[in-house]
Amino acid sequence: MMSEPESMNHERLENDSEVPGSSREMNRAPPVIPFRDPTGSLHAMKWESHRQTGRTALIPDRYYGLWPDGFVFYELDEITSETVLETRTIEPLIQEAMEEFENYTCIRFLKRNGNPNINNYLFIRGDAIGCWSYMGMNELGPQDLSIEMGQCDRKGIIMHELMHSLGFYHEHVRFDRDEYVKVHWENISPGREEEFYAVTLNDSQDLGVEYSFESIMHPELTVFTGNGRLTLEPIGEWAGTDPGPLWAKGRLAPSDIVQIDRLYECSDDGSSTRS
């Protein structure tokens, strides 16, 4: 079991994109408990109770950073490869989600195949509770990415969690979100207020891309609602905009592609110059 840092400023984004009608929809997810991994995983790292959100993209530090050259290694647990929901299997769905990144950006997903020389990789599992991922690449070893079977196995949700693993935060917690949406704090489920905290550019990477309701990182307008009412309301010229649910999205928005290209310094030949 890997050692864990005494303190760190990266979070695991949990239960943020489950399908409707499930027993654990997004707005019914239990409060996140700091310094505890409910999955009991040996791959996941602790995160501190002071959760820093609101960034457009991750600011690398000694604990979490970006994937060198845009190469993301991964392994699938046994459950993730089994048949679920009629005759569909989750592995082809994961592959389909990964191809969306590979077709439009310089990101490449590669199977680790048990190679002991590859220490930094995603361990994609289907036996944990909820849909969640850590932010960016764990500099100290492997990290879990959860796609709960029967709850989160939709292409859009998988893409959303993969985007987190690349280093991107939710769109609605960007530093400039108050120019686009009004947060209805009175409608947020108690204990979920931190999911809406935004930060300034002092703590953010500004990639020069405008706020996008089409982004795979933008949740539905009732995200983490405690009473069924809107927690996010588009304002100004965007009033009446409906981003739709995450699970229904199956492609990267143009803004997502541009941000990935800029964060990973993608070149014209499709490779990343980010080492």
Side-chain angles (χ1 to χ4, degrees):
M1 180 174 180
M2 67 178 144
S3 61
E4 296 170 318
E6 294 181 357
S7 65
M8 56 188 300
N9 63 2
H10 297 284
E11 64 180 298
R12 190 191 72 194
L13 300 186
E14 182 177 29
N15 290 335
D16 58 1
S17 49
E18 294 181 346
V19 298
S22 70
S23 60
R24 284 180 293 275
E25 287 185 57
M26 183 178 346
N27 57 6
R28 296 191 180 93
V32 176
I33 302 174
F35 291 113
R36 185 175 71 88
D37 176 19
T39 67
S41 169
L42 298 182
H43 298 276
M45 295 186 65
K46 292 180 181 178
W47 51 278
E48 65 180 3
S49 57
H50 176 65
R51 306 171 66 198
Q52 295 186 351
T53 58
R55 299 169 176 169
T56 301
L58 175 78
I59 297 179
D61 62 20
R62 61 175 176 159
Y63 299 121
Y64 278 81
L66 303 179
W67 299 87
D69 300 318
F71 292 129
V72 182
F73 290 93
Y74 70 95
E75 285 194 353
L76 305 177
D77 71 359
E78 294 181 359
I79 297 178
T80 311
S81 301
E82 293 179 359
T83 301
V84 294
L85 298 182
E86 300 175 351
T87 58
R88 256 186 329 118
T89 62
I90 191 66
E91 185 169 1
L93 194 60
I94 291 173
Q95 293 290 342
E96 188 177 345
M98 290 177 172
E99 287 173 3
E100 288 291 327
F101 292 90
E102 296 181 336
N103 288 339
Y104 297 103
T105 75
C106 62
I107 299 299
R108 297 294 179 265
F109 293 94
L110 305 170
K111 283 191 173 182
R112 177 174 176 262
N113 292 322
N115 187 338
N117 296 319
I118 299 174
N119 297 317
N120 306 103
Y121 62 93
L122 298 177
F123 185 71
I124 302 176
R125 52 187 302 177
D127 61 338
I129 296 176
C131 330
W132 49 263
S133 172
Y134 288 88
M135 298 296 302
M137 184 195 75
N138 178 10
E139 297 284 0
L140 303 181
Q143 64 200 76
D144 281 2
L145 187 152
S146 174
I147 303 296
E148 183 182 357
M149 308 304 290
Q151 305 290 335
C152 314
D153 43 351
R154 300 289 183 92
K155 180 181 176 182
I157 294 176
I158 297 172
M159 291 175 62
H160 178 88
E161 301 307 336
L162 290 174
M163 194 79 166
H164 278 316
S165 74
L166 293 178
F168 291 92
Y169 289 80
H170 289 136
E171 195 78 358
H172 73 282
V173 295
R174 283 173 49 134
F175 59 89
D176 58 353
R177 63 93 185 278
D178 290 333
E179 300 175 22
Y180 300 88
V181 296
K182 175 182 179 181
V183 177
H184 286 281
W185 298 94
E186 72 278 8
N187 295 333
I188 298 173
S189 179
R192 287 297 189 174
E193 292 83 2
E194 289 183 342
E195 303 289 351
F196 296 82
Y197 291 169
V199 296
T200 68
L201 280 175
N202 292 329
D203 298 308
S204 307
Q205 281 208 63
D206 183 0
L207 298 176
V209 178
E210 189 174 280
Y211 190 101
S212 174
F213 290 96
E214 295 182 350
S215 172
I216 196 71
M217 302 311 292
H218 202 300
E220 52 265 47
L221 300 179
T222 54
V223 61
F224 296 118
T225 183
N227 54 19
R229 299 176 182 174
L230 297 184
T231 53
L232 297 171
E233 180 184 1
I235 59 176
E237 63 180 285
W238 298 277
T241 302
D242 184 2
L246 284 175
W247 60 266
K249 296 181 179 182
R251 65 180 180 84
L252 294 173
S255 61
D256 297 326
I257 296 171
V258 173
Q259 289 192 95
I260 293 173
D261 283 351
R262 291 180 180 176
L263 185 63
Y264 280 87
E265 301 176 2
C266 298
S267 61
D268 292 338
D269 63 4
S271 64
S272 171
T273 59
R274 189 89 189 209
S275 58

